[in-house]
């Protein structure tokens, strides 16, 4: 799908960024991944599943804006243990999430981004998102929502061009893998132009078996 439209990005405020409790529960086996994929959608389940699938493709990078948000939130909550691990840079992998600025009346009620980090470093390579579709969203509306999330990710400065997106509609959810293809010539200022190749993976268990065999390495 090809989209050319102006979109906006705003760094979330500290109060809108949340630490995901229960994420750091150790290594997830293939059987546990299948169990997570068959469960009803939950943020923690999805973040653990996506991390387990994509971790071989993750590369560390510096995100000063979010590192400062994490530091401020840790100080405000007086979490001295996590502050110490930040200083010593030996923190386990953690996950935070926040609602993005993308939503579309009649199509997408809300969208959410998940970021993985350890100490002061974040992990890039593949972006992890969730979109909540409206009950009457069409197939075309779903594809457009995924493409808009891709545009949003580019505008935010994320250092990756591949996305794993959980698509939630009613009590059903599925997974999409999106690959952002940038044009050879630059676009106008404040406008994101890109082509997004989308693989819709309705059968989540099949997605697990495929990823277990090949992963998402560069």
């Amino acid at each position: 799908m090809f989209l050319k439209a102006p979109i906006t990005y705003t760094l979330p405020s500290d109060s809108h960024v949340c630490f995901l409790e229960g994420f750091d529960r150790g290594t997830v086996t293939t059987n546990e991944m299948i169990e997570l994929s068959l469960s009803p959608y939950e943020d923690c389940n999805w973040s653990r599943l996506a991390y387990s699938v994509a971790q071989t493709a993750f590369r560390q990078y510096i995100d000063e804006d979010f590192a400062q948000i994490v530091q401020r939130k840790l100080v405000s909550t007086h979490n001295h243990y996590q502050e110490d691990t930040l200083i010593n840079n030996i923190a386990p992998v953690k996950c935070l999430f926040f609602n993005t600025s993308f939503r579309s009346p009649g199509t997408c009620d809300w969208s959410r981004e998940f970021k993985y980090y350890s100490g002061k470093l974040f992990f890039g390579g593949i972006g992890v998102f969730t979109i909540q579709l409206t009950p009457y969203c069409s197939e075309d509306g779903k594809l457009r929502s995924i493409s808009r999330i891709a545009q949003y990710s580019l505008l935010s400065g994320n250092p990756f061009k591949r996305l794993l997106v959980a698509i939630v509609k009613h009590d059903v959810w599925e997974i999409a893998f999106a690959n952002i293809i940038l044009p050879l010539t630059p676009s106008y200022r404040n406008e994101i132009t890109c082509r997004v190749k989308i693989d819709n993976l309705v059968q989540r268990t099949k997605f697990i078996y495929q990823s277990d065999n090949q992963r998402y390495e560069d």
Side-chain angles (χ1 to χ4, degrees):
M1 175 169 284
F2 178 84
L3 283 177
K4 180 179 179 181
I7 57 175
T8 59
Y9 170 77
T10 303
L11 183 71
S13 63
D14 292 11
S15 60
H16 290 160
V17 176
C18 301
F19 297 127
L20 190 57
E21 299 294 335
F23 169 75
D24 51 337
R25 297 179 181 175
T27 304
V28 179
T29 66
T30 299
N31 287 338
E32 290 173 326
M33 290 166 62
I34 294 173
E35 183 178 348
L36 290 174
S37 73
L38 295 175
S39 301
Y41 176 84
E42 293 182 2
D43 286 336
C44 187
N45 288 347
W46 167 236
S47 67
R48 295 177 68 205
L49 176 60
Y51 178 82
S52 298
V53 168
Q55 61 179 322
T56 55
F58 284 147
R59 303 293 182 268
Q60 291 183 330
Y61 72 99
I62 296 173
D63 190 322
E64 294 183 358
D65 289 332
F66 276 94
Q68 291 175 6
I69 290 176
V70 169
Q71 184 66 39
R72 289 194 298 266
K73 289 183 71 69
L74 292 177
V75 171
S76 66
T77 57
H78 305 288
N79 195 323
H80 300 297
Y81 169 74
Q82 292 197 37
E83 289 177 33
D84 290 341
T85 57
L86 276 173
I87 293 173
N88 296 323
N89 199 30
I90 57 173
V93 177
K94 299 285 186 179
C95 181
L96 60 81
F97 69 95
F98 57 93
N99 282 3
T100 78
S101 58
F102 169 68
R103 58 188 53 82
S104 178
T107 302
C108 178
D109 288 333
W110 53 261
S111 58
R112 187 165 293 163
E113 180 175 1
F114 298 82
K115 286 183 176 290
Y116 304 98
Y117 66 96
S118 176
K120 295 181 179 180
L121 295 176
F122 285 75
F123 293 92
I126 295 181
V128 178
F129 292 83
T130 295
I131 55 176
Q132 171 73 57
L133 301 179
T134 59
Y136 302 104
C137 178
S138 65
E139 183 70 16
D140 182 67
K142 177 178 71 175
L143 295 177
R144 286 184 176 276
S145 293
I146 298 171
S147 296
R148 295 296 188 191
I149 278 293
Q151 289 180 309
Y152 165 90
S153 182
L154 284 175
L155 191 60
S156 72
N158 283 333
F160 39 75
K161 298 180 178 64
R162 295 176 295 172
L163 310 178
L164 281 174
V165 185
I167 307 161
V168 185
K169 184 177 180 181
H170 294 297
D171 296 328
V172 178
W173 69 287
E174 56 191 274
I175 299 170
F177 178 71
N179 189 23
I180 302 170
I181 303 172
L182 296 176
L184 296 178
T185 56
S187 181
Y188 297 105
R189 187 178 180 181
N190 296 327
E191 187 176 70
I192 295 295
T193 303
C194 63
R195 185 164 63 90
V196 183
K197 180 181 178 182
I198 301 171
D199 293 320
N200 200 28
L201 308 168
V202 179
Q203 296 183 2
R204 300 191 297 276
T205 53
K206 184 177 180 181
F207 160 71
I208 300 302
Y209 285 120
Q210 289 176 341
S211 64
D212 192 48
N213 290 330
Q214 62 189 31
R215 300 294 180 185
Y216 286 100
E217 299 180 357
D218 291 330

